[in-house]
Amino acid sequence: MKFSDGYWLLREGVTAAHPAQVLDVAEAADGGLEIHAPTRPVHGRGDLMTGPVLTLAVHTPMPDVIGLTLTHFTGEPPRQPVFGLTGADPRPELSRDDRHVSLTSGALSVRVARSGPWQVEFLAHGRVLTASGPQGMGIMRDAATGGHYLRERLDLGVGTAVYGLGERFGPLVRNGQAVDMWNADGGTATEQAYKNVPFYLTDAGYGVFVDHPGRVGFEVGSETVSRVQFSAETQRLTYYVIHGPTPKDILRRYTALTGRPALPPAWSFGLWLSTSFTTSYDEETVTSFIEGMRKRELPLSVFHFDCFWMREFQWCDFRWDPRVFPDPEGMLARLKAKGLHVCVWINPYIAQRSPLFAEGRDLGHLLRRPDGSVWQWDLWQPGMALVDFTSAAARDWYAAKLEALLAQGVDCFKTDFGERVPEDVEWSDGSDPERMHNYYTYLYNRTVFDVLRAHRGEGEAVLFARSATAGSQKFPVHWGGDCEATYASMAESLRGGLSLGLSGFGFWSHDIGGFEGTPTPALFKRWLAFGLLSSHSRLHGSSSYRVPWLFDEESVDVLRHFTRLKLRLMPYLYEAARTAHEEGVPVMRAMVLEFPEDPACAHLERQYMLGPDLLVAPVFSDEGDVSYYVPDGTWTHWPSGRTVTGPRWVRERHGFLGLPLLVRPGAVLPVGAHADRPDYPHADGVTLRAHGLTRGAQVTVRVADVTFTVVREGDTLRASASEPSAPWALAAGDRVAHAEAGTGFLTLDLPEQDRW
C-alpha cells in the first residue's frame, strides 16, 4: 500500500509514527533481543507518558537468517494461519557498546543504533547489505478506512535488482513495481497472480521473506525509488533478512526455512497429453489420441482427463460421468496396460448439484458464513461451496474421495483453482479470513499431496497445481495457468516461470500452445520446443485439442524430435531435479541465478538455464529469428557442435527443429541411452559428453546411484565410475569410448580440433 503523497507529505487521512530512538534493550529468552522504541524523542519524563511505542524483537531461526518482529499493541490474540517454518534455533552472538547493539547469526549481523537517528543495518562481513533508517519502519493509520498498518522500508542499493514475489508475468526485475500478495484467478496477462509469495531475492547478497500469509503490499522502488517497502494491516509483523552471498545461497536458505520440493517421480518428466477443457471426448476419443501418438512414434507418459470426466454442474463429485465413461476401471486398466500414467482434474469446490454437497454440508465440512449458512456463489459452478480444509475431519473426508480414485487406477491429480477464497466467512479452526485467502491453497494441495504420498509411496507423489503461496513448493509440480495462444503469452509464461523459480519453486510447467484460443501451426511448433525444454511438459488447451497432427505433419516431427531429446537428457534433468529437492535451486533458472556477477544477465527474461549447464533461448517468431546473450567462455551448440565464445549477443535464425541450445564450457553432460520413456535406468548405457574442459579440470557427475569423475590430463580425458556395474561411454566431439559392464575406467585422446 502506498501511504505517501510525494516525498514530503502523507496521503490525506494517513498518519504515521516512526521509531525515534532506542529506549532500552533486553536479552530475550530465545537468545535474541527485545528493543523498545518510542516514536518521539525522549528528552525528559514528560515524554515517557504517551505513545505509541514499537517493540522490536530480533531473533534468528538459522545461521545467516535474522528475523525482526515489529509489534504495536500486544493485546491482539494470535491470528491463524501462520507459515510453518523450520530452523536450527541457533544461539546468536550478542554485542553492545555505547553506540550500537548487535546480533550475529553466521556471517549476517543486524546492528541497531542506540543513540542518534534511528537506524537498523544488516551487514555481512562488515558490508551493509540493506538498512532501515528514520521514517522507514512505522505504524501507519488510514482514517478513511480505519486501517492500522505496520510498514518497513529497506534501502535499495544503486544498481540492485529485485526478483521473485511469486509467479508474476510482467518484467522479471521487480524494480518500479507495486505488488500485492493476493491470489487471484486472473490469467497470465495482468498484474494479478495465482501464486503470491512474500519473498524477494536481490542480486546484492540478500533476500527478504515477510512472514505474513495475508495481504502484504510491496512497493519495490515504486513509492520511494531507493527503497523496498512492505506493509500489512496488522499489529504484529515479522520479516527475515536472508544472507547469500549468491542468489543460489539465498534460495538454499529460504527453502531450508520454508520447505524444499519433494522429488517428483521420473515418469512425470515425460510428455503429458490432455483431453483439453471444453472439447468433446470419451474413451474412443482418448484411445484415438493415444494410438495416434503410438503410430507416429511419439513417446507419451501421462494422459490427463480434464473437467468433463465428471458430469456437468457436479464438480466435484469425483465420479466418472457414466454417460461418457461407463467402465472407468476397465478404461484405466487399458490405459495402464499401454504403459501410461493417468491424471484427473479436481478442484476444492463442491457444486450444489453434486451429491457431496449435502453430505459435506451435513457433516460440517463446507465453509460457512458468520450466520452459520454455507458460503455459496454461482461463479464457476452453480451454487458451489468450498471445502473447509482448516478442519482435519474435512481434510480426511476429501482425501477419502481421492483414495477411491487411486484405487481405480488414477496416479495423480491436477489441483486446479484455490484462488477465489472469500473473506466474509468463518473457518472451523477460527482462522482469520484475510490470512486464509492466500493460505487456503497450501492446505488444499497439502491434503492432496499427502494422499498421494501415503498411497503411492515416497517419490511417487506429483500434482499439477495452479495456485500457491510460500511453502507450497513442497508439493510439486506447478503450472502457469491460463495463457493465450500468442507469442506474447508464451513470453509472459516464461517470465512467470522464471519468477516462480526465483521464489523457491523447483518445478514448473505451462500449457504448450497456449490455453485460450488455438495456436497457429508455427506458434505451436515454437512452443513445443520451449515446452519440452521445461521442467515438465504438457499439451493442453481450452476449446481445441493439442494433438500435433491436427496442426500439420511437421508438428508431429517437431514433437517427436524434442520429446526424444528430453528423454535422452533425463540423466541430466533428473539430477537437476534432485538438486531442486535437496537444495531448493530450481530446474529452470533465470540467467542471474547462474551468472550473478555478469551485469548483462540481470534483466534477461527470454532465455534461461535448464539445470546448471544448458542455455535455452526459445524462439518467439514464425520466421525463427532469435537474439540471445552468451556469457563468458566458449559454449557449444547442441547438437551441431558449433562453438560460440562470449560474452556477446548473438542473432540467429532457426527452423522448427532447432533453437539456441548451448552447453556451458567445462560441462560434462550425461546423456541417456533411451528416447522412448523418462523412467529408465539412467546410468545404464549413459554417455558422458565433455564440453570444453581445460587442462587439469576435474568434473564430478552424479547419475542415479553412480558417481562419474572426468579429468583432463593434457590432451587426454580420463573417466571413472564409482559403481561400474553397467556399460557407459565417454565422448568429446565425435569421438566416443565405451566401457563394458564391470569396467571402471575410460581414456579418450582428444582429436586436434577438440584440444580446447
Side-chain angles (χ1 to χ4, degrees), residues 404-428:
L405 291 166
L406 296 178
Q408 289 181 329
V410 170
D411 296 291
C412 56
F413 300 102
K414 172 183 171 180
T415 49
D416 207 351
F417 289 89
E419 303 93 358
R420 292 174 176 166
V421 180
E423 293 185 83
D424 56 335
V425 294
E426 287 188 353
W427 296 93
S428 66

Side-chain angles (χ1 to χ4, degrees), residues 230 267-268 335 383 461 552 604 650 655 681:
F230 46 89
W267 56 260
S268 72
L335 293 179
D552 59 21
L604 295 180
V650 177

Side-chain angles (χ1 to χ4, degrees), residues 598-615:
D598 187 340
C601 291
H603 289 259
L604 295 180
E605 56 187 26
R606 295 195 301 275
Q607 62 186 78
Y608 57 95
M609 297 296 293
L610 183 62
D613 295 324
L614 282 176
L615 187 158

Side-chain angles (χ1 to χ4, degrees), residues 269-290:
F269 289 80
L271 181 63
W272 298 46
L273 175 62
S274 165
T275 60
S276 291
F277 172 32
T278 60
T279 53
S280 178
Y281 49 87
D282 54 14
E283 183 178 357
E284 183 179 0
T285 307
V286 169
T287 302
S288 72
F289 288 165
I290 293 169

Side-chain angles (χ1 to χ4, degrees), residues 244-501:
T246 71
K248 283 186 185 177
D249 292 329
I250 298 166
L251 282 182
R252 291 182 181 109
R253 294 193 172 101
Y254 168 72
T255 55
L257 185 66
T258 60
R260 287 181 176 151
L263 181 63
W267 56 260
S268 72
F269 289 80
L271 181 63
W272 298 46
L273 175 62
S274 165
T275 60
S276 291
F277 172 32
T278 60
T279 53
S280 178
Y281 49 87
D282 54 14
E283 183 178 357
E284 183 179 0
T285 307
V286 169
T287 302
S288 72
F289 288 165
I290 293 169
E291 284 301 302
M293 299 287 282
R294 184 189 62 80
K295 290 177 181 178
R296 293 168 175 84
E297 299 181 322
L298 299 170
L300 185 63
S301 297
V302 184
F303 192 85
H304 167 72
F305 291 86
D306 219 56
C307 315
F308 282 95
W309 71 272
M310 291 179 282
R311 187 166 181 164
E312 71 278 358
F313 290 158
Q314 295 188 191
W315 304 338
C316 288
D317 62 3
F318 305 109
R319 297 177 181 176
W320 294 86
D321 185 345
R323 303 165 303 176
V324 183
F325 301 105
D327 179 24
E329 290 86 354
M331 179 186 66
L332 292 174
R334 289 185 283 275
L335 293 179
K336 303 299 277 295
K338 298 177 186 293
L340 294 173
H341 290 79
V342 176
C343 176
V344 296
W345 174 96
I346 62 172
N347 66 35
Y349 309 146
I350 309 295
Q352 182 167 283
R353 192 177 175 187
S354 167
L356 298 186
F357 183 89
E359 181 182 332
R361 178 197 60 203
D362 296 344
L363 291 171
H365 296 335
L366 303 181
L367 181 60
R368 296 184 180 272
R369 297 184 185 275
D371 64 4
S373 63
V374 172
W375 183 93
Q376 292 180 260
W377 70 353
D378 288 324
L379 188 61
W380 180 242
Q381 287 285 279
M384 54 155 273
L386 277 75
V387 177
D388 185 348
F389 287 109
T390 70
S391 162
R395 295 195 298 270
D396 291 344
W397 174 75
Y398 189 87
K401 310 304 178 184
L402 304 183
E403 289 169 347
L405 291 166
L406 296 178
Q408 289 181 329
V410 170
D411 296 291
C412 56
F413 300 102
K414 172 183 171 180
T415 49
D416 207 351
F417 289 89
E419 303 93 358
R420 292 174 176 166
V421 180
E423 293 185 83
D424 56 335
V425 294
E426 287 188 353
W427 296 93
S428 66
D429 72 343
S431 282
D432 177 80
E434 182 259 347
R435 297 167 72 98
M436 268 301 300
H437 175 87
N438 291 341
Y439 196 78
Y440 182 81
T441 179
Y442 179 89
L443 296 177
Y444 164 40
N445 282 287
R446 185 186 69 182
T447 299
V448 180
F449 197 85
D450 285 350
V451 170
L452 288 166
R453 185 156 43 194
H455 289 267
R456 290 292 183 257
E458 197 70 38
E460 283 296 312
V462 64
L463 305 177
F464 223 81
R466 188 173 76 174
S467 56
T469 187
S472 296
Q473 66 268 12
K474 292 183 286 188
F475 318 122
V477 169
H478 294 81
W479 103 95
D482 297 345
C483 51
E484 296 182 326
T486 66
Y487 283 113
S489 198
M490 179 177 158
E492 69 202 21
S493 295
L494 174 55
R495 293 194 297 268
L498 297 181
S499 181
L500 192 67

Side-chain angles (χ1 to χ4, degrees), residues 533 565 572 591 595 607-617 626 628-631 633-646 648 650 652 654 659-665 667 669 691:
L533 290 170
L565 171 61
Y572 168 77
M591 297 295 292
F595 304 97
Q607 62 186 78
Y608 57 95
M609 297 296 293
L610 183 62
D613 295 324
L614 282 176
L615 187 158
V616 183
V626 59
Y628 62 97
Y629 175 76
V630 179
T634 299
W635 295 65
T636 305
H637 281 267
W638 180 284
S640 71
R642 291 189 298 112
T643 60
V644 56
T645 300
R648 60 174 291 200
V650 177
E652 293 175 349
H654 286 262
L659 83 169
L661 178 61
L662 281 70
V663 185
R664 192 173 189 164
L669 212 66
H691 298 270

Side-chain angles (χ1 to χ4, degrees), residues 568-631:
R568 291 287 307 279
L569 288 173
M570 274 303 297
Y572 168 77
L573 293 175
Y574 205 62
E575 293 314 308
R578 200 185 305 274
T579 298
H581 166 61
E582 295 174 350
E583 302 180 23
V585 178
V587 174
M588 296 176 67
R589 307 174 184 180
M591 297 295 292
V592 69
L593 201 57
E594 285 293 333
F595 304 97
E597 301 301 323
D598 187 340
C601 291
H603 289 259
L604 295 180
E605 56 187 26
R606 295 195 301 275
Q607 62 186 78
Y608 57 95
M609 297 296 293
L610 183 62
D613 295 324
L614 282 176
L615 187 158
V616 183
V619 179
F620 297 100
S621 71
D622 288 357
E623 298 77 15
D625 294 321
V626 59
S627 176
Y628 62 97
Y629 175 76
V630 179

